[in-house]
Amino acid sequence: MSGVSRRALVTLWALAGAVFAATLGSMLVPGVLPVFAQETGISMADVGRSNAVFGLAYAVAAPVIAWLVRRREPFRVLLVGLPLVAVVAVAVSQVDSAPQLMAVRVVQAVTVAAVVPMCTVHAGSIVAGAHRSRALSISFTGMVLSSLVGAPLGNLLAGAVGARATFVIAGGIAALATAAVLAVRSWQPALRTAGEQARRRESVASVVWASALVVLAATLATALLEGAATGGLNTFISPFLASATGASGALLSALLLCYGVAGLAGNGLLGGVADRWGPARVLTGLGIAAAASVACLAFVSGPLGAAVALLAWGFCSWAINPPLQALIVGNAGAHINVVVGINSSLIYTGTSLGAALASSRVQTGQLDSLPFLSAALFLGCAATAAVAWAVSSRARRRAAVLSQVEPTPTVQ
C-alpha cells in the first residue's frame, strides 16, 4: 500500500487476524447449532438465543471497556483481551447447560469488546490521515472474513470433529493470532509516533471541535441505521430468498455466498476510494447505492436477479465500514477509545433494532416487504452521512481560509 511502511502494513494484517480470531467464535454458532445442541443437551432455541445475549452484552461492554481503558494504549489492551478470547472459546466447548452457555457468552462478548474496537483505534493511529480509510479496511477484513466463513466452517468442522472440538479449534486460532500480534509488539511505539507526526504535518485543514461533534453525532447515527438496515433483512434473508426465487439447498447457499464475497471486495476496495474522495462523501453515496440494491430484491423472481442484487448489496453494505470508521477515528480526538466503543455498541444495537422491526413485519405476513424496510433505513444512512459531509466540508474550507491568513509582521 503506497505511503504506508512495510512494518505498518504487517501490523495492519496482524490486527485483521486478531479481529478475525475474536469474532469467529460468534460467527461459528449458526453452523454448529444443531450438532452443539445434540452434544450438550441444550435446546437449539437456547443456543440461538445465546447469540442475542452475546450481542446485548457486547453493546454494553464495548463503551464501558473503552471508558475504563481510555488512558491505556489500545495495543496493550488488545494484547490482554486476545488471549482471553482463546480461553473463553475453549470454555464454550465445555458448557453443559443453558445458564452456563449464557454466562460464558457474556464473558465472550466482554473479551471481544476488548479486542475489536482497540484494533480499530490502533489501526487508525499508525498511519497518516490520508491513508486511514485503507488502513481501517485492512483491519476490518478480519470481521468480513469471519462473517463469510463462520457458518459454513462451523458446519463443516461440526460434522467432521464435533461442535465442542470446533470451539477448541477457534481457541487455537485466537492463540495463533495472539502470537502474531506479539511478534509485532516492539514496532508499535515507533509506528504510533510516525503516524502522529504525519497527521500533524497534514493538519492544515483540521476540523474544529464544535464541527467535529456534529460530524461524530451524524456518523454514529449512520452506524446505528446501517446496523438496522442490514440486521433486519439479514435475519430473514434465507426464507425471503426461498419465497422469492424458490431457491433451496446448494442454490440458496450459493446466493448467500454472493453477499459475503461481494462484501469482502467492497471492504477492500472502498478504503482507497474514501481516502481520495473523502469518507463522508463516499459514505453518502454508499447509503444511496445500498438502498437501491436492497430495493431491487423486492422485484426479483429468479436466482440470477437475486444474485445480482445480493452482490450489489453485499458490496455496498460492507464498503460502508472503512469510511465510517475513518470519520470516527478522524474526529474523536482525545476521546477516540470511548467513541469507537460507542460506535461498536451502536452497530450491535442497530442490528438488534433491525431484527425486531423485521420480526414484527414477518409476524404479520409481510416477509416480502423487508427489502423496502431495509431500503428506507439505508436512505436514513445516506441522510445522516450527508450531514457529516456538509459539516466537515464547510469546516475544512473555513480552516483552509484561516491558514492562509499571514500574521502582521512585528516592527522591531
Side-chain angles (χ1 to χ4, degrees):
M1 189 165 73
S2 177
V4 176
S5 71
R6 181 179 298 178
R7 286 187 171 184
L9 191 57
V10 171
T11 297
L12 290 171
W13 283 110
L15 295 175
V19 173
F20 174 80
T23 56
L24 180 63
S26 180
M27 302 297 183
L28 288 170
V29 172
V32 305
L33 196 153
V35 179
F36 190 76
Q38 182 180 8
E39 290 180 0
T40 62
I42 303 171
S43 71
M44 284 197 291
D46 281 334
V47 177
R49 195 173 292 119
S50 75
N51 257 11
V53 170
F54 174 93
L56 179 61
Y58 184 97
V60 174
V64 170
I65 291 175
W67 172 258
L68 293 174
V69 301
R70 64 191 182 279
R71 303 187 192 282
R72 304 287 182 182
E73 288 289 348
F75 194 82
R76 293 183 180 181
V77 178
L78 73 92
L79 278 177
V80 174
L82 196 52
L84 293 177
V85 168
V87 173
V88 175
V90 176
V92 171
S93 74
Q94 300 303 307
V95 301
D96 292 307
S97 67
Q100 288 179 6
L101 177 61
M102 300 306 173
V104 173
R105 293 305 304 278
V106 169
V107 178
Q108 185 182 40
V110 173
T111 61
V112 175
V115 174
V116 177
M118 298 301 111
C119 287
T120 298
V121 175
H122 189 68
S125 73
I126 62 174
V127 297
H131 304 295
R132 185 177 286 132
S133 295
R134 281 177 290 176
L136 292 171
S137 72
I138 292 175
S139 174
F140 213 80
T141 297
M143 184 175 287
V144 183
L145 191 58
S146 70
S147 70
L148 176 60
V149 307
L153 180 63
N155 182 64
L156 177 66
L157 289 175
V161 300
R164 291 186 187 270
T166 298
F167 285 107
V168 174
I169 292 172
I173 293 173
L176 290 174
T178 302
V181 173
L182 282 170
V184 302
R185 182 181 184 180
S186 62
W187 304 345
Q188 304 317 304
L191 289 177
R192 284 194 300 271
T193 299
E196 183 179 348
Q197 291 173 346
R199 290 189 297 276
R200 192 179 297 122
R201 288 193 297 268
E202 64 187 11
S203 63
V204 174
S206 59
V207 179
V208 297
W209 181 239
S211 297
L213 283 175
V214 179
V215 173
L216 281 175
T219 305
L220 291 172
T222 303
L224 178 70
L225 289 168
E226 192 278 332
T230 300
L233 186 55
N234 249 339
T235 300
F236 297 98
I237 189 62
S238 292
F240 173 82
L241 290 173
S243 174
T245 68
S248 62
L251 179 57
L252 180 57
S253 296
L255 287 176
L256 296 175
L257 190 62
C258 289
Y259 174 85
V261 171
L264 196 61
N267 176 76
L269 295 176
L270 263 290
V273 175
D275 284 333
R276 287 193 297 271
W277 291 1
R281 178 189 302 182
V282 171
L283 193 59
T284 303
L286 286 171
I288 296 171
S293 300
V294 293
C296 287
L297 280 172
F299 302 101
V300 301
S301 57
L304 182 59
V308 173
L310 287 166
L311 286 168
W313 173 32
F315 185 93
C316 294
S317 185
W318 282 105
I320 283 174
N321 283 287
L324 188 147
Q325 301 285 354
L327 277 173
I328 290 172
V329 173
N331 290 278
H335 306 283
I336 183 170
N337 288 14
V338 177
V339 177
V340 170
I342 292 172
N343 176 61
S344 293
S345 175
L346 286 174
I347 291 174
Y348 274 86
T349 301
T351 300
S352 299
L353 175 62
L357 290 172
S359 296
S360 66
R361 291 283 185 99
V362 172
Q363 193 171 12
T364 57
Q366 301 180 69
L367 177 66
D368 58 350
S369 73
L370 293 187
F372 295 122
L373 172 64
S374 183
L377 291 168
F378 272 124
L379 286 177
C381 289
T384 52
V387 172
W389 179 16
V391 173
S392 58
S393 296
R394 180 171 178 269
R396 282 197 301 270
R397 286 194 299 269
R398 291 179 61 188
V401 170
L402 290 174
S403 69
Q404 294 172 4
V405 178
E406 296 293 337
T408 303
T410 303
V411 178
Q412 299 293 332

